[in-house]
Amino acid sequence: MGSRNHPFSVENETLPYTLVAHDEHDERHQGAVVFPIYQNSLFTYAASDKPGHGFKYSRMGNPTVVELEKRLAALEHGESAQCFASGMAAISSAILSRVNAGDHVICVSQVYFGTREFMDYFLSRYQVEVTYVDGTSIDRIREAVRDNTKVLYLESPTSYYFQLQNLQACVSLAKEFGIDTIMDNTWASPCHQHVLDAGIDLVVHSLTKYVSGHSDVLGGAVIGKASWIERLSRIDHQLLGGIMTPHTASLMMRGLRTLPLRMERLGESTTKIARYLNGLPRIRRVNFPGLPEHPQHELAKQQMTGWGSLFSIELEADMAQAKQWVDQLKLFRIGLSFGGYESLALVVGATPESEDTRPVTLIRLNIGLEAPCDLIRDLSSFYAFFGESAQEQVQAQ
Ligand code: PLP
């Protein structure tokens, strides 16, 4: 798997490895190999009617942040990008930039919970209605369309059950009804899924995850058509004020240098570990689109050229047992986020999808850059907790 096989690739495309590693010699900065941090709030004018090089005040644009925006736009195959203080600042501004009072939004029901809360608490206050739909079914999405539907909001795959939406079907439907499409592409990163090439209008990212890659900064980006980004920058970004700092932009550019390499390694390690867990007793399901057993694996291969590092398992155990197991893991820390160098585990809750009365608990795992064999050794403590002999002991009690 690799960019060569990308379903939406264009002829002679520069591959991500080269895009992130190669900078042209830049006379403006004495040929410095790292783009400087313009640690300025203010840029003064040469004269009253000569506003310098276009920069005036860092809430309206900063050269270091603009450089990151150019690199992100190139990687995502977009015309233009706008960076933000966090993924949520990017998501909320992208949505606000496309809706007015009286509009209707269709959103996939398993969307990232912050996005869902934004829709529920903010959009409802401004008379924008939201319908949540099962994103795996284009028929359900079609049924939700109304005369005033303005935005179809997607996240593929979703980040708890890792279900996909069929992007080409969603784009055709949206075009048929004149609906704007916005998609969260954080999981696959700009290396593994080029959703603008598939016809999505705006793509959003939490750069906090893979682009930063080191769990030390937060950031977000919206990427798409230049005219849409220009309007979003001028109004939603500047006036809501959720800006990215130049120092953060510099750390994000450092993260970008190794993004394709890390994504490749993370995708391989995660596949190995998901495969290992898939064979274990009492694991009812491994929700990872990279496994052939995933119900949408074929679609995943068509839409993505590689995999993210986050997936979930549905374990036949109650929450307390699941937490005991997770708490004693040595190499997995317990935490919320993903996309950093470190492996993480999180007991999310009882799954509502249980098919029988046995308790089933959802655990989300993020695979980091550790050696996969060490991670598998750590996870093999599973047998002591849930293996056949453990099961026999439970039954004997
Ligand atoms: N999108 C997804 C899929 C996420 O998981 C998150 C955060 O966990 C966000 C967006 C929000 O990003 P941030 O925390 O940078 O605001």
Side-chain angles (χ1 to χ4, degrees):
M1 201 171 289
S3 301
R4 269 193 324 282
N5 303 330
H6 200 287
F8 314 114
S9 68
V10 286
E11 286 287 297
N12 302 322
E13 170 194 330
T14 309
L15 296 179
Y17 301 100
T18 311
L19 264 184
V20 297
H22 177 75
D23 295 351
E24 309 229 317
H25 180 83
D26 192 338
E27 277 304 332
R28 285 173 305 167
H29 307 115
Q30 283 68 248
V33 292
V34 175
F35 195 91
I37 302 176
Y38 280 83
Q39 191 65 51
N40 300 273
S41 58
L42 180 66
F43 300 83
T44 52
Y45 298 9
S48 299
D49 55 356
K50 280 197 199 154
H53 298 282
F55 293 102
K56 298 174 183 166
Y57 186 64
S58 281
R59 182 159 48 76
M60 301 167 177
N62 173 286
T64 315
V65 182
V66 166
E67 181 62 26
L68 171 63
E69 288 165 352
K70 278 190 207 149
R71 294 176 188 202
L72 287 170
L75 208 54
E76 257 295 4
H77 301 178
E79 287 176 8
S80 191
Q82 175 65 60
C83 284
F84 288 84
S86 66
M88 271 317 298
I91 290 167
S92 50
S93 291
I95 296 168
L96 288 175
S97 75
R98 303 312 304 169
V99 296
N100 290 305
D103 286 342
H104 172 243
V105 173
I106 302 174
C107 179
V108 291
S109 53
Q110 288 179 17
V111 74
Y112 168 63
F113 74 89
T115 308
R116 184 151 183 160
E117 288 195 329
F118 169 75
M119 304 240 184
D120 290 344
Y121 297 125
F122 277 82
L123 293 188
S124 59
R125 279 164 50 189
Y126 299 98
Q127 289 79 51
V128 176
E129 277 190 277
V130 183
T131 305
Y132 296 101
V133 292
D134 170 2
T136 62
S137 162
I138 195 69
D139 294 337
R140 295 288 94 75
I141 299 177
R142 181 177 282 276
E143 280 161 20
V145 173
R146 300 184 195 165
D147 289 345
N148 60 341
T149 303
K150 187 71 205 313
V151 167
L152 172 60
Y153 188 93
L154 308 171
E155 183 182 318
S156 182
T158 54
S159 49
Y160 284 98
Y161 288 96
F162 302 89
Q163 293 183 342
L164 278 70
Q165 296 102 60
N166 183 322
L167 300 189
Q168 278 177 342
C170 288
V171 166
S172 315
L173 180 83
K175 285 202 188 330
E176 185 184 332
F177 293 99
I179 299 169
D180 302 339
T181 43
I182 305 177
M183 177 167 156
D184 186 331
N185 194 26
T186 303
W187 188 84
S189 88
C191 295
H192 287 338
Q193 184 164 242
H194 284 110
V195 304
L196 297 174
D197 292 348
I200 297 289
D201 294 309
L202 286 179
V203 59
V204 291
H205 281 280
S206 167
L207 304 177
T208 314
K209 309 296 187 299
Y210 298 116
V211 172
S212 140
H214 295 76
S215 303
D216 49 7
V217 272
L218 280 105
V222 184
I223 306 164
K225 269 202 288 277
S227 57
W228 287 30
I229 298 293
E230 201 273 323
R231 188 173 172 279
L232 173 145
S233 303
R234 203 163 25 83
I235 300 172
D236 308 278
H237 173 257
Q238 263 184 47
L239 301 183
L240 293 174
I243 63 141
M244 175 178 280
T245 68
H247 189 245
T248 294
S250 179
L251 285 173
M252 291 295 180
M253 283 194 268
R254 183 163 67 172
L256 270 187
R257 298 276 189 215
T258 55
L259 180 71
L261 273 179
R262 285 185 286 110
M263 289 312 296
E264 189 174 309
R265 162 66 185 251
L266 291 174
E268 281 168 10
S269 299
T270 308
T271 306
K272 278 187 194 149
I273 291 162
R275 212 178 276 142
Y276 167 76
L277 290 168
N278 200 35
L280 296 185
R282 293 177 73 183
I283 292 194
R284 180 171 292 184
R285 233 187 322 249
V286 176
N287 298 312
F288 178 61
L291 284 183
E293 292 80 1
H294 187 282
Q296 294 171 298
H297 180 62
E298 287 310 313
L299 179 64
K301 282 197 295 185
Q302 284 165 31
Q303 296 188 165
M304 294 183 271
T305 56
W307 317 120
S309 61
L310 190 72
F311 68 103
S312 66
I313 56 176
E314 293 176 41
L315 176 66
E316 287 173 6
D318 61 28
M319 294 260 291
Q321 287 174 305
K323 282 181 184 166
Q324 263 179 11
W325 176 55
V326 162
D327 286 356
Q328 59 76 55
L329 293 173
K330 304 276 180 295
L331 297 178
F332 287 79
R333 298 178 187 210
I334 300 166
L336 270 180
S337 194
F338 66 97
Y341 59 87
E342 73 285 17
S343 289
L344 297 168
L346 189 71
V347 175
V348 176
T351 163
E353 294 184 333
S354 302
E355 286 133 20
D356 60 32
T357 51
R358 273 176 299 176
V360 176
T361 299
L362 190 73
I363 303 178
R364 205 172 75 157
L365 297 170
N366 172 57
I367 303 307
L369 292 171
E370 302 92 339
C373 56
D374 288 335
L375 294 175
I376 288 177
R377 199 171 311 119
D378 197 17
L379 292 169
S380 67
S381 60
F382 185 92
Y383 281 102
F385 278 78
F386 306 113
E388 294 304 332
S389 55
Q391 224 170 351
E392 281 160 20
Q393 281 167 22
V394 170
Q395 277 161 8
Q397 279 169 11

